[in-house]
Coordinates of all heavy atoms in Angstrom, one line a residue:
Chain S
A9 N -21.1 41.0 0.7 CA -22.1 41.4 -0.3 C -22.5 40.2 -1.2 O -23.6 39.9 -1.4 CB -21.6 42.5 -1.2
A10 N -21.4 39.4 -1.6 CA -21.6 38.3 -2.4 C -22.4 37.2 -1.7 O -23.3 36.6 -2.2 CB -20.2 37.7 -2.8
V19 N -32.9 31.9 -2.1 CA -34.3 32.0 -1.7 C -35.2 32.1 -2.9 O -36.1 31.4 -3.1 CB -34.5 33.2 -0.7 CG1 -36.0 33.4 -0.5 CG2 -33.8 33.0 0.5
A25 N -41.4 32.4 -1.3 CA -41.8 33.7 -1.7 C -41.7 34.8 -0.7 O -41.6 36.0 -1.0 CB -43.3 33.7 -2.2
D33 N -23.3 32.4 8.8 CA -22.6 33.2 9.8 C -23.4 34.2 10.6 O -22.9 34.8 11.6 CB -21.4 33.9 9.1 CG -20.4 33.0 8.6 OD1 -20.3 31.8 9.1 OD2 -19.7 33.3 7.6
S55 N -41.0 16.7 3.7 CA -39.6 16.9 3.1 C -38.6 16.6 4.2 O -37.5 16.0 3.9 CB -39.4 18.3 2.6 OG -40.5 18.7 1.8
A73 N -31.4 6.1 16.0 CA -32.5 5.3 15.7 C -33.8 6.1 15.8 O -33.8 7.1 16.5 CB -32.6 4.1 16.7
N74 N -34.8 5.7 15.1 CA -36.1 6.5 15.1 C -37.2 5.6 14.6 O -37.2 5.2 13.5 CB -35.8 7.7 14.1 CG -37.1 8.4 13.9 OD1 -38.2 8.2 14.5 ND2 -37.1 9.4 12.9
A94 N -39.3 15.6 20.6 CA -40.1 16.8 20.7 C -40.6 17.1 22.1 O -40.9 18.2 22.5 CB -41.2 16.8 19.6
A101 N -34.4 25.1 20.7 CA -33.3 24.2 21.1 C -32.9 23.2 20.0 O -31.7 23.0 19.7 CB -33.6 23.6 22.4
K110 N -21.9 21.9 18.0 CA -20.8 22.2 18.9 C -21.2 23.2 20.0 O -20.7 23.2 21.1 CB -19.6 22.6 18.2 CG -18.8 21.4 17.6 CD -19.4 21.0 16.2 CE -19.0 19.6 15.7 NZ -19.6 19.4 14.4
T139 N -22.9 24.6 3.3 CA -23.4 24.0 4.6 C -23.8 22.6 4.2 O -24.2 22.3 3.1 CB -24.5 24.8 5.2 OG1 -25.5 25.0 4.2 CG2 -24.0 26.2 5.6
E144 N -33.5 25.9 4.3 CA -34.8 25.3 4.1 C -34.9 23.9 4.6 O -35.8 23.4 5.3 CB -35.2 25.3 2.6 CG -36.6 25.2 2.3 CD -36.9 25.4 0.8 OE1 -35.9 25.9 0.1 OE2 -37.9 25.0 0.3
T155 N -42.6 16.5 15.2 CA -43.7 15.5 15.2 C -43.3 14.3 16.0 O -44.1 13.4 16.2 CB -44.0 15.0 13.7 OG1 -42.9 14.3 13.3 CG2 -44.3 16.2 12.8

Side-chain angles (χ1 to χ4, degrees):
Chain S
V19 171
D33 292 338
S55 310
N74 174 7
K110 282 87 198 176
T139 54
E144 201 176 343
T155 68

